[in-house]
Amino acid sequence: MMRLRVEISTSVHEIPWESVLRPGRAVCYDLLARGAPELGRLLHEKGWGPHGMVPFGFGGPVFPAAPRRRGVYSAHGRGVLELGSPLADVVMGWAAALAGRELIDWGGVALQVHGVDLAEPSAAGGLRQRFRAVTPVVLKGSGRDDAGVRTTRQAWVLPGEPEYGACLENNLRRKAETLGLAPEVTLEQVTWVGPKRSFAVGDGRKPGAPVEAELSGSPEALAAIRDWGLGQANSAGFGWVLA
């Protein structure tokens, strides 16, 4: 379970909303193609473990000193891009591909690379931990009405809706099973909900909201989830969790 912190800079003053998360999946796979090609092909074609999931995540590029403007994803100057995975070989593959690299093309936005820091696995935490997602957590529900009849296959579930807790908990348990870890992960409570936002990715727009949640489970499973993300579509940048 590891993270990669890439020190970046850019000369642009904003990143179009459609390019905040969308380029990340292609960037991650491109880095794997260069640094761990066999693993990259396996994840892309089959996924990992019994559920065929793709165990990596990332956050959008962040520029803390860029002036904030309403309705704009502000950029400019120095910033950071974080990538993470519960599989150490994925992170090491990214690190190898970034060694000596000067530029990342983030959907047409040039990100200059100034350094790459490898965050070693942290000491195991307790049986109950708090997770704060900084990108929207997306979840797909059953699509069934009150009578139990399926009415749609594209039923996105938002915080506060009846299925939300069960869907999130099921997602977390599938992740633990994927990695061969104890699957008894429980959502204790959602302690904060951020603004709803819809981001465009390769297969359309996905709606969700960042959340802060208290989870309980084995320290190993919780550590893996922290470097993978909450909810679905983590390999598209959703559900990225603060370290």
Side-chain angles (χ1 to χ4, degrees), residues 16-98:
W17 282 107
E18 64 269 20
S19 295
V20 173
L21 294 181
R22 177 184 281 172
R25 185 174 184 272
V27 168
C28 287
Y29 274 120
D30 177 67
L31 294 175
L32 283 177
R34 299 168 188 271
E38 292 186 7
L39 179 57
R41 281 194 296 271
L42 173 65
L43 294 180
H44 188 266
E45 295 173 4
K46 297 183 178 180
W48 190 267
H51 302 298
M53 302 180 83
V54 180
F56 66 71
F58 60 89
V62 177
F63 301 88
R68 296 290 177 249
R69 291 180 290 155
R70 185 176 180 86
V72 170
Y73 191 90
S74 298
H76 199 64
R78 298 296 286 255
V80 64
L81 174 66
E82 287 191 334
L83 317 173
S85 173
L87 302 179
D89 287 347
V90 170
V91 181
M92 297 304 293
W94 288 333
L98 283 166

Side-chain angles (χ1 to χ4, degrees), residues 106-181:
W106 194 266
V109 176
L111 303 178
Q112 299 288 332
V113 177
H114 298 281
V116 180
D117 294 324
L118 186 64
E120 296 293 340
S122 58
L127 298 176
R128 183 163 174 159
Q129 300 177 31
R130 183 167 293 193
F131 292 68
R132 190 177 185 97
V134 293
T135 60
V137 175
V138 298
L139 291 167
K140 190 174 289 187
S142 67
R144 299 182 185 276
D145 61 19
D146 293 340
V149 177
R150 182 185 290 275
T151 59
T152 178
R153 294 186 178 275
Q154 198 76 345
W156 302 108
V157 182
L158 295 172
E161 296 181 350
E163 290 188 313
Y164 189 85
C167 290
L168 179 55
E169 200 168 80
N170 182 60
N171 169 267
L172 300 174
R173 292 180 176 182
R174 285 165 60 89
K175 286 175 175 170
E177 290 172 351
T178 290
L179 300 168
L181 301 172

